[in-house]
Amino acid sequence: MKFATKLIHGSHSIDAATGALSIPVSQTSTFAQKSVDHFGKYDYSRSGNPTREALEESVAVLEGGSHAYAFGSGMAAISSTLMLFAPGDHLVVCEDVYGGAFRAMTRLFGQWGLNVSFVDATDPAALEAAIIPATKAIYLETPSNPLLKITDLCGAVRIAGKRGLLTIVDSTFMTPYLQKPLELGCDIVLHSGTKFLNGHSDVVCGFAVVNDEKLAQRIHFVQNAFGAILGPQDCWLTLRGLKTLKIRMEESQKSAIRIAEWLSANPRVKRVFYPGLKSHPGYEIHRSQTSGPGAVLSFELEDYPLTKKVLEGVTLSAFAVSLGGVESIISYPAKMSHAAMPSSERAARGISDTLVRFSVGLEDPDDLIADFARLI
Ligand SMILES: Cc1ncc(COP(=O)(O)O)c(C=O)c1O
């Protein structure tokens, strides 16, 4: 089955009980039991819920995994995954990781004894050199947020494999339509489903996906024990949003390529970060491990006054936190996605005060370009 068909029929295309084409919202906290000795498949919605199960199975099929787990946010998926580790364990993490993940790793999990080293994961030698005896996993984002840096996933898997480490990848920017890290040998794929998977800026959700029974059991244990689950209504909305993932990604990506080229030709734009541009240092690696550059790009403007003018002056795109919606969203990493990172850390990573991130929605690209052209 090809990806577009999987989106519609890969799992749970019809409700088995009624034939409904839309999976019902099982808006219940608990399930009545018939026997003291044998409980039914569902007993309590934190442990399992039919709407959540339909969504989890759909995401697992799309990602090429055996199991997916849905959480109440991308951060809940990330934090629940970090709970697989114990005090004293160490992770090697790509340096321009999402600011919220940086915050959880350093200020939350740091407190309970998890140690992390941030490295430029585009450099395999740096990745390897950061591994110490206590290292248990390599944690990556590719493309990374907000600088769209590319990590060679097969290379990282080779390095991790030599030492028996897990490879964890936040694949939010790509979705399984464009990148399937499990097929490349990675162990856990994370998503902020808030973004392209749901795609309509109306749900906050997250996923952890694996292709290994034991790992699945461990994540399921955390999901149930810690309890950061996604509610049935949000599962239903995400199931609905997911069906159009392919056409949304295709259209937004086509526009992103045009906008990246337009920005690159503008003298007031200092740099464009987009793996669809041949000038991107990770262009070849990205091409080899994905089927497209996606619909998020970042760019650096000439100075701060122009940056402010663009952020406050665009009329079609929302100046907002988040990405991956049908509406284009322009954001300011220094004060939004990476506000949780101290300014010295941001500066060290190249996240400057003139950096703008743009998530391309489904508006006509001519209109989006015209909106920028008024300002830049
Ligand atoms: C790459 C990436 N991972 C994780 C997250 C966190 O997801 P959520 O906001 O759904 O908690 C985000 C949010 O922007 C993100 O961009």
Side-chain angles (χ1 to χ4, degrees):
M1 216 187 268
K2 297 225 166 137
F3 194 85
T5 316
K6 278 188 192 164
L7 282 171
I8 311 298
H9 299 294
S11 166
H12 294 275
S13 55
I14 292 174
D15 175 41
T18 61
L21 292 193
S22 163
I23 298 303
V25 186
S26 295
Q27 191 71 48
T28 183
S29 59
T30 193
F31 301 81
Q33 306 301 320
K34 291 201 171 71
S35 152
V36 175
D37 300 318
H38 302 289
F39 282 6
K41 181 174 178 191
Y42 306 105
D43 59 5
Y44 187 57
S45 273
R46 172 160 40 74
S47 316
N49 172 285
T51 318
R52 193 173 86 225
E53 186 180 87
L55 174 62
E56 291 177 335
E57 289 182 7
S58 301
V59 171
V61 165
L62 297 175
E63 197 64 73
S66 57
H67 298 76
Y69 296 96
F71 294 89
S73 67
M75 278 317 305
I78 292 171
S79 299
S80 298
T81 299
L82 293 177
M83 284 181 195
L84 297 176
F85 303 101
D89 286 351
H90 171 258
L91 307 185
V92 176
V93 181
C94 67
E95 63 182 357
D96 62 334
V97 70
Y98 167 63
F102 176 89
R103 175 172 53 197
M105 288 171 184
T106 54
R107 292 178 53 194
L108 208 56
F109 287 90
Q111 280 184 159
W112 80 334
L114 186 69
N115 300 308
V116 287
S117 297
F118 295 100
V119 297
D120 177 1
T122 63
D123 174 5
L127 207 54
E128 194 150 19
I131 295 171
I132 58 174
T135 307
K136 292 289 185 304
I138 295 178
Y139 182 106
L140 304 167
E141 257 176 49
T142 181
S144 65
N145 181 4
L147 292 173
L148 288 294
K149 285 191 181 175
I150 303 301
T151 298
D152 172 3
L153 287 177
C154 291
V157 165
R158 268 196 302 278
I159 293 169
K162 279 196 266 176
R163 319 278 186 115
L165 313 180
L166 292 177
T167 309
I168 303 171
V169 183
D170 180 334
S171 197
T172 296
F173 278 26
M174 289 285 95
T175 82
Y177 179 53
L178 298 175
Q179 175 169 273
K180 292 211 183 61
L182 296 176
E183 290 181 358
L184 303 176
C186 299
D187 300 289
I188 303 177
V189 177
L190 299 172
H191 287 284
S192 168
T194 314
K195 311 299 180 335
F196 294 102
L197 291 181
N198 175 60
H200 291 73
S201 308
D202 50 13
V203 172
V204 174
C205 67
F207 297 94
V209 196
V210 296
N211 201 12
D212 175 87
E213 192 59 42
K214 279 207 181 111
L215 208 43
Q217 279 172 14
R218 288 172 65 198
I219 295 180
H220 185 235
F221 175 80
V222 178
Q223 187 193 39
N224 187 40
F226 187 66
I229 48 149
L230 188 64
Q233 186 75 37
D234 284 346
C235 288
W236 184 85
L237 277 166
T238 308
L239 272 168
R240 189 170 71 163
L242 204 52
K243 291 182 185 178
T244 54
L245 177 66
K246 178 185 176 221
I247 50 171
R248 285 188 285 107
M249 287 307 283
E250 279 294 335
E251 283 302 306
S252 292
Q253 178 172 261
K254 257 191 265 166
S255 301
I257 293 168
R258 274 200 52 202
I259 293 166
E261 282 166 357
W262 183 85
L263 287 167
S264 302
N266 189 310
R268 301 187 76 190
V269 176
K270 285 203 312 204
R271 263 179 90 179
V272 180
F273 304 86
Y274 183 58
L277 293 174
K278 286 207 173 106
S279 56
H280 189 293
Y283 176 81
E284 285 304 337
I285 292 173
H286 186 77
R287 248 167 72 105
S288 72
Q289 62 191 18
T290 65
S291 52
V296 181
L297 52 98
S298 294
F299 53 98
E300 228 167 31
L301 288 159
E302 169 181 272
D303 53 29
Y304 181 68
L306 179 62
T307 309
K308 190 169 154 61
K309 183 178 162 201
V310 170
L311 291 170
E312 293 174 353
V314 286
T315 54
L316 288 177
S317 316
F319 172 39
V321 169
S322 204
L323 58 99
V326 294
E327 316 80 3
S328 291
I329 296 179
I330 192 162
S331 7
Y332 187 45
K335 290 209 172 154
M336 291 176 160
S337 60
H338 289 67
M341 202 176 256
S343 59
S344 55
E345 298 277 355
R346 280 200 306 271
R349 287 162 171 79
I351 304 169
S352 72
D353 288 346
T354 59
L355 183 76
V356 171
R357 192 186 71 198
F358 191 54
S359 166
V360 184
L362 294 180
E363 302 88 347
D364 193 293
D366 287 342
D367 291 330
L368 293 171
I369 289 172
D371 201 20
F372 279 133
R374 282 187 306 107
L375 302 161
I376 308 179

